[in-house]
Amino acid sequence: YPHWLHLSGTPVGLFHWAPQVFTQGDLLPGEVREYDTDEGDHVVEYRIGPRAGRRVTWTREGLVVPATFVTMVALTRENPHGGVQLAMQMAQTYGVGSAHYRQQALGQDVITEGVTFPEFDRDLFLKKRSEWPAFRKQGECPRRIMGAIDFGSNHPAAYYVGGVDEEGRGYGLKAFRQRGLRHQQFVDLVKAEQDRFDKLVGHKRWWWEIDPEDLGWKWDMQAGGVRVKLANKKKKGGRVNPSSGIATLADWFVKRDDDGAPMLFLDADDPGMWLLATEIEHYVYDDPRNPEKQPPPERPRHVGDDLAECMRYWSQGVKKQGWDVTGRRLGGLRVLRTTYRKAG
């Protein structure tokens, strides 16, 4: 039988996932798959190792056609032409735990359908204060701060406080999420947090952006002495246009300074930030009712997104104040709706 050699790759050394899929890459070692083709042939496929598979075809003419497939792969760092340096640069830029790095440098198919922020990597953004470029001690924070609140009775209530320094870097200072709080309990918690940050920044010229869908919460907050403004949930900027909406949050994940460092730092010593990171990693959009005629909606799916919603309100409020994130946008990175589905 004829011998074939198929070679595919990219300039950065990413091995293509196609050979894995089409040479029994979706079968486990020892797993067998049988099917009949449209031409009337009967085919049996099975894996014989991590990089090899076999296919045996019984044609309708009675011929037996065996075939062995061997897939040889290479990683970016194995490229002798600058691969090590490039892999290190990609690790610094994307973060070794991010979907982009794992796909581009390691060749893994890891971006699942519907993921909103594939650029987010907790190893890159969750940092202890000792690793921050400024405000390294507890109790230190930028003078420009803003809070955001997502109310909840049946689902968790949450709030987020973040600041922006003079260089345009963002700092996640406090995140809180808890289920089952009564209205007054949550009002008291937010008021205590507000008083604490009033002392830290030395002024009261900041406020909380809040969910505008339940005005009862707004009145309760104002009655409790909490400074609030309604977030604009209807205004939409689009997935690649960071003028408003959810794209304002994505902008914080794709900007870097001149040295390639991120422009957002979340306090790794705050337990709420880890909850926030988990929510961002699972933040997804609803599907449009008519995908062929309607664009994907701006509104995210309401599944465990309380803190992520707070950060969205915060990023919109920061944008409204003109405290835009600075830095350069990563080439090729933008807010995407990924549609990868595993073959087979």
Side-chain angles (χ1 to χ4, degrees):
Y1 54 92
H3 299 273
W4 293 85
L5 172 64
H6 298 277
L7 178 65
S8 64
T10 71
V12 299
L14 164 67
F15 75 81
H16 204 280
W17 57 267
Q20 286 189 307
V21 172
F22 294 107
T23 62
Q24 296 78 48
D26 56 338
L27 291 175
L28 298 174
E31 185 179 355
V32 179
R33 177 169 59 199
E34 294 189 51
Y35 60 92
D36 294 318
T37 67
D38 294 337
E39 292 77 19
D41 301 335
H42 184 71
V43 180
V44 176
E45 297 178 336
Y46 56 96
R47 288 285 294 274
I48 58 175
R51 296 186 178 184
R54 284 182 181 156
R55 176 187 299 152
V56 181
T57 303
W58 284 265
T59 69
R60 57 184 177 179
E61 291 82 13
L63 298 176
V64 179
V65 183
T68 300
F69 299 87
V70 179
T71 303
M72 293 172 287
V73 300
L75 306 180
T76 297
R77 64 174 179 270
E78 296 171 342
N79 188 331
H81 304 288
V84 174
Q85 295 88 339
L86 182 56
M88 293 175 63
Q89 179 183 354
M90 293 171 68
Q92 180 184 17
T93 301
Y94 299 135
V96 295
S98 68
H100 276 289
Y101 178 82
R102 288 157 58 196
Q103 186 179 66
Q104 296 298 316
L106 304 181
Q108 301 174 0
D109 296 303
V110 295
I111 302 181
T112 56
E113 183 179 8
V115 170
T116 305
F117 302 120
E119 306 90 355
F120 181 81
D121 175 23
R122 60 178 61 198
D123 293 335
L124 196 64
F125 296 106
L126 269 171
K127 297 289 187 183
K128 291 182 177 295
R129 282 183 172 249
S130 59
E131 302 177 79
W132 286 12
F135 317 110
R136 295 188 176 94
K137 296 181 180 179
Q138 289 293 338
E140 295 181 344
C141 65
R143 286 182 56 82
R144 301 190 302 182
I145 68 170
M146 186 175 294
I149 302 172
D150 189 54
F151 303 118
S153 298
N154 297 325
H155 62 87
Y159 63 78
Y160 172 87
V161 181
V164 181
D165 68 12
E166 298 301 326
E167 302 296 326
R169 297 184 183 89
Y171 300 87
L173 305 170
K174 182 64 181 179
F176 173 87
R177 187 187 75 189
Q178 186 172 327
R179 185 187 298 274
L181 291 172
R182 296 190 301 274
H183 275 226
Q184 194 57 48
Q185 284 181 301
F186 189 50
V187 170
D188 293 342
L189 283 172
V190 174
K191 180 60 166 63
E193 201 71 75
Q194 177 178 282
D195 293 341
R196 184 172 74 90
F197 276 99
D198 284 349
K199 294 179 181 179
L200 292 179
V201 298
H203 65 80
K204 298 182 180 181
R205 297 186 302 275
W206 67 281
W207 61 88
W208 305 81
E209 295 276 324
I210 65 172
D211 187 339
E213 293 186 357
D214 189 345
L215 293 179
W217 276 105
K218 174 190 175 183
W219 298 329
D220 288 343
M221 287 287 172
Q222 290 177 331
V226 179
R227 302 182 294 270
V228 298
K229 291 186 179 182
L230 297 181
N232 189 345
K233 294 180 68 172
K234 294 182 179 180
K235 189 176 180 182
K236 304 174 183 180
R239 299 176 188 282
V240 298
N241 173 16
S243 62
S244 62
I246 203 168
T248 59
L249 178 53
D251 219 29
W252 288 97
F253 303 144
V254 299
K255 289 290 185 69
R256 301 290 185 268
D257 65 13
D258 293 337
D259 297 325
M263 296 297 291
L264 176 68
F265 299 88
L266 305 177
D267 189 355
D269 293 322
D270 184 80
M273 293 298 171
W274 293 89
L275 298 175
L276 171 62
T278 301
E279 288 189 12
I280 291 173
E281 290 168 343
H282 296 87
Y283 204 65
V284 294
Y285 285 106
D286 271 329
D287 293 322
R289 294 181 179 179
N290 190 344
E292 295 182 358
K293 296 182 179 181
Q294 292 177 313
E298 181 81 9
R299 188 171 182 170
R301 199 175 300 164
H302 291 282
V303 181
D305 60 359
D306 309 284
L307 279 170
E309 283 287 82
C310 286
M311 198 171 183
R312 177 164 74 108
Y313 301 154
W314 173 84
S315 65
Q316 285 186 247
V318 165
K319 182 82 175 182
K320 186 167 55 179
Q321 288 298 109
W323 307 342
D324 295 19
V325 54
T326 58
R328 57 183 176 84
R329 179 179 288 270
L330 288 175
L333 294 190
R334 56 180 183 167
V335 189
L336 298 175
R337 180 177 181 81
T338 56
T339 56
Y340 170 78
R341 291 185 178 90
K342 191 171 181 60

